[in-house]
Amino acid sequence: EPEVTQTPSHQVTQMGQEVILRCVPISNHLYFYWYRQILGQKVEFLVSFYNNEISEKSEIFDDQFSVERPDGSNFTLKIRSTKLEDSAMYFCASSRDRGQGYSGNTIYFGEGSWLTVV
Amino acid sequence: GEDVEQSLFLSVREGDSSVINCTYTDSSSTYLYWYKQEPGAGLQLLTYIFSNMDMKQDQRLTVLLNKKDKHLSLRIADTQTGDSAIYFCAESTGGFKTIFGAGTRLFVKA
C-alpha cells in the first residue's frame, strides 16, 4: 500500500536553530498537509498546500514557518528559529483530492517527525 | 470555535467490547472520523461517517452518530490486545482542515 514517508523520525535541536522536516507524499496525490501534536495535546492543523501554494493555514502557522515543494517529490516544513514550544510530533499528510472525506477522499498520514527543542 | 473532546483513557479486558466516546461543537461538521495510532506509527484512518448517517458498521467496528447531541462513538467488538492504541476522533466540513481530539488511549488487558 502506498505510504507517506517522513524524515527525520526524531530531531533534537537547540533553541533558535532552523529545522527542516521532510516528507515524501504519495506519488499521485495533489494536496499536502502538515499537522502537529504537542505531547498530550490535540493533533492541530498547521497548513495545507496545493498547486504550489498555501491553500489554508492556521493561526499557529506564523512567519516562523514555511512550506515548500522544492521538486516533484518532496514537501518540506521549515521552522526558522525554533522555540521550546515548537517541540512536538509533526505529521505530514497527502490526499488525491481536497479535504477529508470529500467524495470519499482520504488523507494519508506519515509516521511523524518528533522535534525536540532544547 | 471548532472543538473535539474525548476521554483520555479506556481500559477493557480482552474479548469485551470497547466504546470510545467523542463530542464535537461544530454543527456544520459534514464528516466525522476515527483514526488509530499505534506506537511509532502514523495516524491510520479506521472509518468515517457522513453527518446524514446515524450508524455505520465495518466488521468489528460500529460508529454511532447522534447529530442532535453532537456525539460520536466507536464500538470495537471482541477487543483484542492488538487493538491497544490511541484512537482519535476528528471532524471536518469537507474543506482542507481536519479538527482532531486529543486521543483516547485504549488499554486491552489479557
Side-chain angles (χ1 to χ4, degrees):
Chain A
E1 185 173 316
E3 58 181 23
V4 175
T5 57
Q6 292 186 239
T7 54
S9 56
H10 190 192
Q11 182 163 351
V12 180
T13 190
Q14 287 204 322
M15 197 166 53
Q17 295 296 304
E18 177 182 282
V19 161
I20 297 176
L21 304 178
R22 292 182 167 80
C23 169
V24 179
I26 294 172
S27 62
N28 64 346
H29 284 186
L30 300 176
Y31 295 81
F32 314 110
Y33 315 85
W34 284 101
Y35 284 77
R36 80 170 184 191
Q37 185 184 24
I38 295 171
L39 191 63
Q41 298 185 24
K42 298 179 181 182
V43 176
E44 302 170 293
F45 170 79
L46 291 179
V47 67
S48 60
F49 190 85
Y50 169 70
N51 200 25
N52 283 319
E53 60 183 25
I54 291 172
S55 44
E56 187 172 353
K57 62 182 181 178
S58 71
E59 292 172 355
I60 303 166
F61 195 87
D62 59 22
D63 292 343
Q64 180 197 9
F65 294 91
S66 62
V67 288
E68 196 178 31
R69 191 156 156 80
D71 53 43
S73 59
N74 290 286
F75 178 51
T76 62
L77 174 70
K78 183 190 289 187
I79 309 174
R80 280 191 191 81
S81 177
T82 49
K83 301 185 282 240
L84 294 176
E85 54 264 38
D86 294 327
S87 295
M89 173 76 92
Y90 288 82
F91 291 105
C92 175
S94 71
S95 63
R96 191 187 67 235
D97 294 313
R98 187 190 83 166
Q100 177 77 285
Y102 183 73
S103 297
N105 189 43
T106 296
I107 292 180
Y108 291 85
F109 284 83
E111 293 184 359
S113 293
W114 258 119
L115 176 64
T116 303
V117 182
V118 297
Chain B
E2 310 134 325
D3 196 17
V4 174
E5 295 290 340
Q6 48 185 132
S7 54
L8 294 182
F9 300 98
L10 176 66
S11 180
V12 299
R13 289 191 181 280
E14 194 174 21
D16 288 350
S17 291
S18 308
V19 179
I20 303 171
N21 294 300
C22 165
T23 57
Y24 60 97
T25 59
D26 190 351
S27 57
S28 60
S29 294
T30 311
Y31 309 95
L32 296 123
Y33 315 92
W34 285 104
Y35 278 84
K36 178 182 181 182
Q37 184 183 31
E38 296 183 74
L43 300 170
Q44 174 198 358
L45 180 64
L46 277 181
T47 186
Y48 66 89
I49 188 169
F50 294 114
S51 60
N52 62 357
M53 297 167 65
D54 298 323
M55 186 182 88
K56 182 178 180 181
Q57 186 146 7
D58 184 1
Q59 300 181 335
R60 292 191 297 123
L61 306 179
T62 303
V63 179
L64 294 178
L65 174 60
N66 181 329
K67 199 174 176 185
K68 175 176 167 288
D69 294 338
K70 300 192 188 73
H71 182 267
L72 184 74
S73 68
L74 173 70
R75 179 176 179 270
I76 306 172
D78 187 26
T79 314
Q80 302 298 306
T81 54
D83 295 322
S84 294
I86 303 175
Y87 291 81
F88 291 90
C89 175
E91 58 94 4
S92 86
T93 55
F96 294 106
K97 184 169 61 174
T98 302
I99 306 297
F100 287 84
T104 298
R105 189 177 291 272
L106 175 64
F107 296 95
V108 182
K109 295 175 283 191

